[in-house]
Amino acid sequence: MRLDRFIESKLAVSAQSVRELFLQRQVLLNGIAVSEGRGRISEFCRVEVAGRILQSREAVYIMLHKPQGCVSATKDAKNKTVIDLLDFPQKENLHLAGRLDFNTTGLLLLTNDGKWSRKITQPTHKIPKTYLVQTKEVITEDYVRVFAEGIYFGFEDLTTLPAELTILSPYSARLTIYEGRYHQVKRMFGFFNNEVVGLHRLSMGKIILDTNLAAGEYRLLTAEEIDSIK
Ligand code: URA
């Protein structure tokens, strides 16, 4: 939204009155006086007019090492949620940038910035997500070829984007996918009737799970990590 229109609607005053406020240097955008309001502001810009704060909402970006046995949701009637793990003011305003299953561990991103999280979750952005996978049956070289070609998912009527599989041992592999369909990794291994018995997300784009974080711990993202998605 334009800054001048935002002030008009917040203060319920005319466009002319708002122009005057700008001329009197009464409008501070992120702490700096601005002389005109045609520029656009986001929901996270701080806007102060004549000493009155009209908007001051900080964007929050968190990396959590999700443990097993908790739900990737903000509320759940039965189970502990990832939000319950946070000791953070206004944690109720956060949402998840890509879920993990109940027993999947690893990197989970939480934010109150919807524009940012959509870049991670929308398949059109093709953000790579890398997982460590442990399976019940042996993983063979066939998987590498089939995952690279894509697998047809009948429910969604689509073929998964080419994915990269590196076999680490007979029962474990590293997999990078470029979208985040429902239970995608389990369904890809399910194509070979191979059950996933352990799943851990290592990274999303350039954001890598901090090895200093034990399961259940979290930290704020650095500016560099945030910008790597923007
Ligand atoms: N794919 C899955 O099947 N489960 C997850 O938790 C994440 C990706």
Side-chain angles (χ1 to χ4, degrees):
M1 186 179 203
R2 273 173 57 149
L3 175 59
D4 50 5
R5 302 276 178 270
F6 172 80
I7 297 171
E8 265 173 63
S9 78
K10 273 277 175 186
L11 297 180
V13 293
S14 67
Q16 179 56 28
S17 313
V18 172
R19 271 194 295 277
E20 279 162 20
L21 286 166
F22 278 108
L23 289 175
Q24 293 158 6
R25 314 290 282 176
Q26 297 272 35
V27 180
L28 301 189
L29 179 60
N30 296 326
I32 296 166
V34 283
S35 53
E36 61 94 26
R38 274 172 297 177
R40 295 195 164 268
I41 56 162
S42 83
E43 61 185 309
F44 300 114
C45 290
R46 182 187 160 91
V47 181
E48 204 177 323
V49 177
R52 181 173 157 199
I53 297 163
L54 300 191
Q55 176 175 278
S56 159
R57 186 167 166 231
E58 241 183 278
V60 177
Y61 307 87
I62 289 175
M63 133 179 338
L64 167 76
H65 182 166
K66 180 190 172 294
Q68 278 196 329
C70 74
V71 187
S72 283
T74 48
K75 284 195 183 81
D76 191 89
K78 254 192 359 228
N79 298 294
K80 191 177 191 169
T81 72
V82 290
I83 294 286
D84 294 330
L85 298 169
L86 307 179
D87 178 14
F88 198 79
Q90 290 156 10
K91 63 182 185 175
E92 279 72 26
N93 296 332
L94 301 177
H95 62 268
L96 304 162
R99 293 163 189 275
L100 289 174
D101 294 338
F102 190 69
N103 280 325
T104 301
T105 58
L107 177 64
L108 196 69
L109 299 174
L110 297 111
T111 182
N112 56 357
D113 183 348
K115 206 166 154 201
W116 186 83
S117 62
R118 276 193 292 282
K119 287 190 186 144
I120 297 179
T121 52
Q122 283 178 354
T124 43
H125 293 287
K126 298 194 176 70
I127 297 280
K129 288 130 191 148
T130 299
Y131 294 85
L132 274 181
V133 190
Q134 282 168 334
T135 57
K136 196 163 177 190
E137 312 295 337
V138 171
I139 304 165
T140 66
E141 286 297 328
D142 285 348
Y143 291 46
V144 179
R145 179 183 49 80
V146 171
F147 287 2
E149 283 168 0
I151 292 177
Y152 179 69
F153 280 0
F155 184 72
E156 295 94 336
D157 188 24
L158 57 82
T159 299
T160 55
L161 292 170
E164 291 137 27
L165 184 76
T166 307
I167 299 174
L168 303 173
S169 77
Y171 298 95
S172 71
R174 190 172 53 239
L175 175 67
T176 299
I177 57 176
Y178 291 85
E179 61 216 310
R181 308 282 171 199
Y182 180 67
H183 292 327
Q184 178 158 346
V185 176
K186 290 176 184 158
R187 289 162 78 196
M188 287 171 75
F189 282 85
F191 177 85
F192 291 97
N193 289 320
N194 195 349
E195 189 185 331
V196 170
V197 293
L199 189 56
H200 178 81
R201 185 154 63 199
L202 293 168
S203 63
M204 298 171 88
K206 291 191 176 129
I207 304 176
I208 299 166
L209 180 64
D210 193 328
T211 49
N212 293 318
L213 293 177
E217 291 183 345
Y218 62 93
R219 70 157 168 82
L220 293 175
L221 293 189
T222 63
E224 204 177 20
E225 286 167 336
I226 299 163
D227 290 345
S228 74
I229 299 295
K230 280 175 178 162

